[in-house]
């Protein structure tokens, strides 16, 4: 072993120890590892920042934006309520989510399947009052297992097919991977459903001043439009859309007559509803039933990118005190819409525009973001810290989901590579207004992207110093002494171990020729060994850095680096125990 090889191994080993200790944040650890590599010459200066232009960084950053836009659209909430209305058990929800992601990943890129299901996971977690961490890592692992089932499911399968064609003249076909892949996927889903509790419960580490603000009794006003799906439904039906966290406190008919909001009261076109609840519940009720905020005007839709919602508290010297929005002709004078109002320990029965403002009232106003600060100063109103509320925001329904599905289709048919497809999808989400420009950089998780960008050149140091060739030599020397099943298991385990540092495609390029030469040298057929390499490279369950699906869920799930092996190690052992005999039966050698 040369000194550069030894240094490369030591740097990576030290980095892994620091990750597992979790004493320092993961992006800082990755930055230090890169700097140490540069200091000792293991990472060439000209390769130091190649990670920032790597496809993996682009894919993860773009997928975060795309997933946020789909979640913001509210379409996933509607789909859950329509097709999974009574699913309340977290375990059943977990099984459904993991199964869907696993099956989808067999036919489309697993990063796309995961991105489309993450917003649903967040909604289910919210409904069941559990942490999203219960769902997200099992879903990521399910997406990796699903990719094993077909040739197009994951990059290792495609590369292994090419290696077989070079060796035998015949490539693996689309469904040659299915017998073993389907067995592993089924066993994996069952394992994840039974042993998800191995994961510690995590919460996203984004606690800030916004978490100190908790206002649960906002009152808003909404119209029942002629095209609203709420027509003919009862007040009880409407309140169930908000999971009981919002209630209708008054109904004013189109003629101005007030009606008692009994649970069985039927809604009619033209009705105006007074609704009370927390902002998230109010948003669900309004967006999912086709209601419209009574004061919204067309300007909000024409310039949706600059239209925002601000929470503010009325100060004791405010000029609004004693007046109502109707008396002030709020929209006509200022262009602002009063979306909701909250007053401590008081329930409103008056219409929103008739309520007279008092000192200490918290109001939710919608308008042009460049105009709002000036008006707040003029009225002596203090803005609260931004909480990213959806209530009153402008959204585009099916458009975000359509953009994501088109991107997934383009990648599934090989028309456009994954990175450009998802990058274009993220750009379209912003250009179409599905995700406001001001929210984009809140969704792109900087620490995750920095970690990835720094780890890529550090991992490359194994190849540049010849460390991977050394590992290959050790494997070959060891495998010669083992029986056929032992050599098969060794090849698979080695691929699993190397994948976090080379990425799965590079692992196959390094390991597949070794496996083929080794099998041929011992008189075995190479197919089972090539399959073992593809399975090992496609099953990185031990770290968040070997596959972009694992990385994608790290920040949203609040996971730590060391959390992955808790669930991933037993799953990896199970995959080896099941895959080796399955390969020997399906691909006898």
């Amino acid at each position: 072993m040369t000194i550069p090889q030894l240094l490369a191994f030591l740097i990576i080993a030290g980095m892994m120890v620091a990750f597992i200790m979790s004493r320092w944040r993961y992006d800082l650890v990755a930055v230090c590892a890169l700097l140490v590599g540069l200091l000792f010459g293991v990472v060439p200066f000209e390769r130091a920042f190649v990670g920032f232009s790597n496809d993996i960084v682009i894919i993860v950053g773009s997928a975060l934006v795309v997933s946020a836009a789909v979640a913001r659209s509210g379409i996933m909430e509607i789909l859950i309520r329509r097709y999974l209305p009574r699913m309340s058990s977290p375990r059943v929800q977990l099984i459904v989510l993991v199964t869907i992601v696993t099956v989808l990943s067999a036919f489309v890129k697993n990063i796309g399947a995961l991105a489309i299901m993450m917003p649903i996971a967040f909604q289910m977690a919210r409904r069941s009052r559990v942490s999203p961490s219960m769902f997200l890592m099992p879903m990521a692992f399910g997406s990796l297992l699903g990719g094993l089932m077909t040739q197009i499911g994951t990059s290792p399968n495609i590369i292994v097919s090419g290696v077989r064609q070079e060796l035998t003249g015949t490539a693996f076909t689309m469904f040659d991977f299915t017998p073993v892949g389907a067995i592993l996927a089924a066993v994996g889903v069952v394992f994840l459903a039974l042993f998800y509790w191995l994961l510690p419960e995590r919460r996203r580490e984004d606690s800030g001043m916004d978490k100190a603000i908790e206002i649960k009794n906002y009152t808003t006003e909404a119209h029942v439009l002629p095209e609203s799906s709420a027509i003919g439904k009862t007040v009880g039906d409407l309140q169930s859309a908000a999971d009981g966290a919002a209630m209708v406190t008054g109904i004013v008919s189109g003629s101005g007559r007030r009606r008692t909001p009994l649970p069985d009261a039927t809604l009619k076109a033209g009705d105006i509803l007074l609704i009370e609840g927390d902002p998230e519940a109010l948003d669900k009720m309004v967006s999912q039933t086709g209601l419209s905020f009574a004061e919204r005007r067309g300007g909000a839709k024409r310039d949706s990118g600059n239209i925002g919602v601000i929470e503010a508290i009325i100060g004791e010297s405010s000029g609004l005190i004693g007046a109502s929005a109707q008396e002030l002709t709020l929209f006509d004078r200022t262009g602002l819409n009063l979306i909701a109002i909250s007053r401590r320990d008081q329930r409103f029965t008056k219409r929103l525009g008739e309520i007279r403002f008092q000192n200490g009232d918290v109001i939710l106003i919608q308008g042009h973001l460049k105009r709002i600060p000036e008006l707040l100063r003029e009225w002596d109103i203090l803005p609260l810290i931004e909480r990213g509320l959806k209530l009153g925001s402008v959204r585009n329904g099916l458009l975000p989901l359509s953009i994501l599905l088109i991107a997934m289709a383009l990648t599934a048919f090989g028309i456009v590579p994954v990175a450009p497809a998802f990058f274009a999808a993220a750009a379209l989400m912003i250009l179409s207004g599905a995700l406001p420009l001001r929210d984009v950089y809140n969704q792109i998780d900087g620490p995750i992207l920095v970690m990835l960008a720094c780890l890529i050149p550090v991992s490359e140091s194994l190849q540049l110093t010849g460390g991977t060739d050394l590992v290959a030599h050790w494997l070959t020397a060891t495998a010669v002494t083992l029986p056929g099943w032992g050599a098969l298991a060794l090849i698979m385990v080695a691929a699993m171990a190397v994948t976090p540092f080379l990425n799965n495609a590079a692992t196959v390029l390094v390991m597949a020729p070794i496996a083929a030469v080794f099998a041929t040298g011992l008189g075995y057929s190479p197919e089972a060994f090539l399959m073992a390499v593809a399975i090992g490279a496609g099953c990185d369950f031990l770290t968040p850095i070997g596959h972009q699906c694992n990385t994608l869920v790290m920040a949203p799930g609040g996971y730590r680096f060391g959390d992955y092996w808790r669930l991933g190690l037993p799953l990896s052992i199970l995959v080896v125990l099941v895959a080796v005999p399955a390969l020997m039966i399906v691909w006898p050698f």
Side-chain angles (χ1 to χ4, degrees), residues 87-136:
M87 189 182 299
S88 57
S89 167
R91 175 173 286 187
V92 174
Q93 293 172 344
L94 174 71
I95 294 172
V96 170
L97 288 169
V98 173
T99 301
I100 292 175
V101 170
T102 302
V103 173
L104 279 176
S105 297
F107 303 100
V108 300
K109 290 295 182 182
N110 41 27
I111 188 76
L114 185 59
I116 200 173
M117 294 301 294
M118 279 177 61
I120 296 181
F122 283 115
Q123 292 302 324
M124 286 187 170
R126 207 171 284 123
R127 285 173 57 186
S128 302
R129 294 180 173 83
V130 299
S131 170
S133 64
M134 175 180 173
F135 299 143
L136 294 182

Side-chain angles (χ1 to χ4, degrees), residues 28 84 111-112 125 130 139 162 168 257 261 341 360 362 387 407 537 567 571:
L28 182 60
L84 305 170
I111 188 76
V130 299
M139 289 168 61
T168 66
R257 185 173 63 88
I341 184 171
V362 180
R387 294 196 288 159
L567 186 64
L571 180 57

Side-chain angles (χ1 to χ4, degrees), residues 57-102:
V57 175
I58 303 300
I59 291 169
V60 171
S62 300
L64 288 170
V65 171
V66 170
S67 180
V70 172
R72 188 176 184 273
S73 71
I75 190 65
M76 291 305 177
E77 299 167 9
I78 296 173
L79 292 176
I80 290 173
R81 190 160 299 281
R82 178 170 297 178
Y83 298 108
L84 305 170
R86 301 187 184 279
M87 189 182 299
S88 57
S89 167
R91 175 173 286 187
V92 174
Q93 293 172 344
L94 174 71
I95 294 172
V96 170
L97 288 169
V98 173
T99 301
I100 292 175
V101 170
T102 302

Side-chain angles (χ1 to χ4, degrees), residues 261-293:
L262 299 174
D264 58 352
T266 303
L267 303 177
K268 304 174 183 178
D271 282 348
I272 298 172
L273 309 179
L274 290 175
I275 312 170
E276 180 181 289
D278 66 70
E280 184 178 324
L282 294 176
D283 177 70
K284 278 186 180 181
M285 184 181 288
V286 172
S287 63
Q288 293 183 25
T289 56
L291 301 177
S292 173
F293 291 107

Side-chain angles (χ1 to χ4, degrees), residues 478-535:
T478 304
V480 170
T481 64
L482 299 175
W485 62 267
L488 194 64
L490 178 64
I491 290 294
M492 190 181 301
V493 170
M496 285 182 175
V498 172
T499 295
F501 310 107
L502 295 184
N503 78 54
N504 53 18
T507 297
V508 174
L509 291 172
V510 171
M511 296 293 298
I514 296 172
V517 170
F518 167 73
T520 304
L522 293 181
Y524 298 140
S525 298
E527 285 79 6
F529 291 84
L530 292 175
M531 284 282 185
V533 171
I535 291 170

Side-chain angles (χ1 to χ4, degrees), residues 513-578:
I514 296 172
V517 170
F518 167 73
T520 304
L522 293 181
Y524 298 140
S525 298
E527 285 79 6
F529 291 84
L530 292 175
M531 284 282 185
V533 171
I535 291 170
C539 292
D540 175 32
F541 305 126
L542 301 178
T543 73
I545 59 177
H547 196 281
Q548 57 262 35
C549 287
N550 291 353
T551 310
L552 183 62
V553 301
M554 186 177 183
Y559 300 117
R560 299 174 184 172
F561 195 96
D563 290 341
Y564 283 77
W565 68 267
R566 294 172 182 266
L567 186 64
L569 181 59
L571 180 57
S572 298
I573 294 172
L574 181 63
V575 166
V576 174
L577 293 176
V578 173

